[in-house]
Amino acid sequence: MGHILFGAFGLFSLNILLYCGHAQGVPRPVLTVSPSWTSPGDSVTLTCSVGPPSAGWRFFWYKAVPDMSSTNNYYTSELLAGGTTGTEQDSYILHGQTHTAGYQCRAGRGDLVFYTLDSDVKFVWSGGVNPAASLTVSPHRLQHYSTESLSLSCEGNSAEWRVMKVDGDGRVSRCYYWGKMTGSTCNTNTRASSGVYWCESVTQSSNAADITIHNVPQPVLTVSPSWTSPGDSVTLTCSVEPPSAGWRFFWYKAAPNMPYLYYSPYYTYELLAGGTTGTEQGSYILQGQTHTAGYVCRARRVDPAIYTQYSRLKFVWSGGVNPAASLTVSPHRLQHFSTESLSLICEGNSTKWRVKRVDEDGHISSCYNWGEMNGSTCNTNTRASSGVYWCESETQFSNAANIIIHNPEEAASSSVFLVPLVVGLVSGVLLIILLLLFLRRYRKSEASSLSRSQRTNQSAATDHMINQGETQDGHYASLLHGDSCLYEAIGGSEEPEHGTNDEPEESVYENVRMETAADG
């Protein structure tokens, strides 16, 4: 008996393991619908795909029927006409689609049919009027802001309704999660989000509304100039993105909220003079600005009726002395190292002060975030950083100080970099100067050598001319001496013979040629 029970238990356990392993591998098909938004009478194609793709599947097509009694499973599945045996094709065409409806599919194969899981419900949307079921959105538009409360009302041939939504990720939810259902109306109470909304009864689905919910815009305030001298005019400019017509702009001055309580705002906002109805222009001119002050703006439109958020607080800075409120920085300079402790001292017509800072990113903070407030003095304890600092009382802003905090390590590293750079520059300049001096000396030396060479050449030319003169004088003297001999020879030879004999003449010519050759 025990062996039988043990075997039965083992078989049961094996079946459970096989079932679990089989179930873990069961695919869920993906259903797509095309088109997803229709006009009455359109044809719609449903396509069911199983991954990974393989042969042998038959596809089954279902319509999603609202289950009003269930809070978890919103729909039951009802086979479409002629779908009991399924289709070999993975697509199914719906003809003459008229109203909003949801669909599912699954696939099966084998003799002992193995079925996939059901696909997620996919909807075919219709914006057309359906007398049996209709949705009305109030305010009557599809673009809304998150601060607005919507009313989604259902009407038609039913006493029981629910309002449904499909968000951008395809998740289906009902009014309970983002509003309150009262009878046949869902009130969102500013908790609506973008998605497709519709009404459902047991047998009907209404027209659908593709509603977009926008976050309330925050305008951007700019001030020009941001640093002023007493008496300057300052222009405030408020812009809303994306730009559109119909806005009116409202302008506020910031008043310090003191004493400051945790989670309470640093400032309250007071409308500027004449600003109760706002301005059509997105700019406002402050005449005769004298002291540091903070400003914000916001905008309002009638259709839809909405106020924007307040802009970020922007300051107009003044470095001028204000007897009612003044800031003194110790050490008395604007350039400091992060290793230094600063004392920021407030003085004026008040017994309550706080020291504030705006950093380079526009973030506003108080002394307690980066120092310690003792009476009217803030000691930074080396925790200060670059920014604009000022003092505030309940009614006054002091002069502002634009303080820059340097990191010593960065300064040292920059010095390490600058020293070789400076040395290199100085060395380069000295090298250029030495090269110029050498070139100058070289040119002087070359000019001196050229001058001496010219003088030597002139002297040599003079000597040559003198030598030539002496040589020529010698030639002349020799020639004259030779002539004398010639004449003498001629005279001597003529006397005895009187030119009657040819031989004496040849002798004379020979003497002349010999003497001439000797002279040469």
Side-chain angles (χ1 to χ4, degrees):
M1 185 68 179
H3 292 292
I4 295 173
L5 291 174
F6 181 77
F9 178 75
L11 183 61
F12 175 74
S13 300
L14 180 62
N15 286 334
I16 291 177
L17 290 173
L18 290 173
Y19 174 80
C20 291
H22 185 65
Q24 287 177 353
V26 176
R28 183 184 295 276
V30 175
L31 176 66
T32 57
V33 297
S34 180
S36 57
W37 284 86
T38 64
S39 298
D42 284 351
S43 294
V44 177
T45 300
L46 311 180
T47 304
C48 192
S49 56
V50 180
S54 58
W57 292 106
R58 294 190 69 82
F59 298 91
F60 300 84
W61 311 92
Y62 303 87
K63 184 175 183 179
V65 178
D67 184 356
M68 305 295 286
S69 63
S70 175
T71 57
N72 296 320
N73 298 316
Y74 294 138
Y75 303 95
T76 58
S77 299
E78 183 180 283
L79 268 171
L80 293 177
T84 53
T85 59
T87 63
E88 291 184 2
Q89 295 77 23
D90 62 355
S91 60
Y92 186 96
I93 298 177
L94 300 166
H95 295 285
Q97 184 76 16
T98 55
H99 305 305
T100 295
Y103 298 93
Q104 289 177 286
C105 74
R106 69 171 176 168
R109 66 180 177 185
D111 295 331
L112 296 173
V113 179
F114 165 70
Y115 287 105
T116 67
L117 299 174
D118 291 339
S119 71
D120 292 330
V121 178
K122 294 292 182 178
F123 289 88
V124 177
W125 311 112
S126 172
V129 176
N130 178 6
S134 67
L135 167 69
T136 303
V137 181
S138 180
H140 188 59
R141 45 189 161 81
L142 297 178
Q143 304 284 327
H144 299 268
Y145 286 102
S146 57
T147 54
E148 297 180 89
S149 181
L150 309 185
S151 291
L152 306 166
S153 302
C154 303
E155 295 177 325
N157 301 334
S158 179
E160 187 178 5
W161 294 99
R162 68 184 180 192
V163 177
M164 305 294 291
K165 178 184 77 176
V166 168
D167 64 18
D169 296 324
R171 290 188 292 264
V172 181
S173 59
R174 59 193 177 99
C175 174
Y176 169 83
Y177 293 101
W178 31 264
K180 183 178 180 181
M181 198 76 190
T182 304
S184 59
T185 299
C186 175
N187 295 302
T188 66
N189 299 326
T190 74
R191 288 184 289 168
S193 60
S194 296
V196 179
Y197 292 76
W198 74 101
C199 295
E200 288 180 348
S201 69
V202 175
T203 57
Q204 295 288 337
S205 294
S206 74
N207 55 302
D210 190 3
I211 295 175
T212 302
I213 307 295
H214 300 280
N215 290 325
V216 175
Q218 182 178 34
V220 175
L221 176 66
T222 57
V223 298
S224 179
S226 56
W227 284 87
T228 64
S229 298
D232 283 352
S233 294
V234 176
T235 300
L236 309 180
T237 303
C238 193
S239 57
V240 179
E241 294 295 336
S244 59
W247 293 105
R248 293 189 70 84
F249 299 91
F250 296 81
W251 312 92
Y252 302 83
K253 185 175 183 179
N257 187 14
M258 296 180 69
Y260 171 74
L261 300 176
Y262 196 58
Y263 289 124
S264 66
Y266 285 135
Y267 303 94
T268 57
Y269 303 130
E270 302 171 352
L271 270 169
L272 293 177
T276 53
T277 57
T279 63
E280 291 184 4
Q281 296 77 24
S283 61
Y284 187 96
I285 297 177
L286 300 166
Q287 303 287 352
Q289 185 76 16
T290 55
H291 305 305
T292 294
Y295 299 93
V296 296
C297 72
R298 68 171 175 169
R300 184 192 70 187
R301 67 188 313 165
V302 176
D303 187 18
I306 184 176
Y307 273 104
T308 67
Q309 301 179 55
Y310 287 103
S311 70
R312 292 183 66 178
L313 180 63
K314 293 288 184 178
F315 284 90
V316 178
W317 309 112
S318 172
V321 176
N322 178 6
S326 67
L327 167 68
T328 302
V329 182
S330 180
H332 190 59
R333 46 191 161 81
L334 297 178
Q335 305 277 334
H336 299 269
F337 286 107
S338 58
T339 52
E340 295 180 89
S341 180
L342 309 185
S343 291
L344 306 165
I345 304 165
C346 304
E347 295 178 316
N349 302 334
S350 179
T351 57
K352 293 181 180 179
W353 294 100
R354 66 185 180 194
V355 178
K356 306 284 287 184
R357 180 188 73 198
V358 167
D359 63 19
E360 295 169 343
D361 295 324
H363 297 131
I364 302 173
S365 57
S366 292
C367 174
Y368 75 86
N369 296 116
W370 31 262
E372 182 178 354
M373 199 76 189
N374 294 318
S376 60
T377 299
C378 174
N379 297 302
T380 66
N381 300 327
T382 74
R383 288 184 289 164
S385 60
S386 296
V388 179
Y389 291 75
W390 73 98
C391 295
E392 291 179 351
S393 68
E394 292 179 346
T395 58
Q396 295 289 335
F397 293 87
S398 74
N399 55 301
N402 190 9
I403 296 175
I404 298 176
I405 307 296
H406 299 280
N407 189 332
E409 293 179 359
E410 293 177 358
S413 63
S414 63
S415 299
V416 170
F417 171 75
L418 286 174
V419 168
L421 178 63
V422 172
V423 171
L425 289 173
V426 172
S427 300
V429 171
L430 289 175
L431 181 60
I432 292 171
I433 293 172
L434 290 173
L435 288 173
L436 292 174
L437 289 173
F438 175 77
L439 183 61
R440 185 178 178 186
R441 287 181 62 84
Y442 174 75
R443 286 181 175 176
K444 281 186 176 182
S445 175
E446 200 174 50
S448 177
S449 299
L450 181 61
S451 177
R452 286 198 300 271
S453 176
Q454 288 176 347
R455 287 198 299 272
T456 303
N457 291 338
Q458 290 176 357
S459 176
T462 303
D463 293 342
H464 179 66
M465 291 176 64
I466 293 171
N467 292 334
Q468 276 188 337
E470 291 175 350
T471 304
Q472 289 175 357
D473 290 344
H475 286 306
Y476 291 140
S478 174
L479 182 60
L480 290 175
H481 177 69
D483 290 344
S484 175
C485 294
L486 177 61
Y487 293 143
E488 288 178 357
I490 292 171
S493 62
E494 285 179 353
E495 286 180 358
E497 298 295 334
H498 298 284
T500 59
N501 196 339
D502 292 335
E503 290 180 5
E505 290 180 1
E506 291 178 0
S507 177
V508 171
Y509 286 121
E510 288 176 0
N511 288 336
V512 172
R513 285 195 298 272
M514 290 174 65
E515 287 176 359
T516 303
D519 291 340

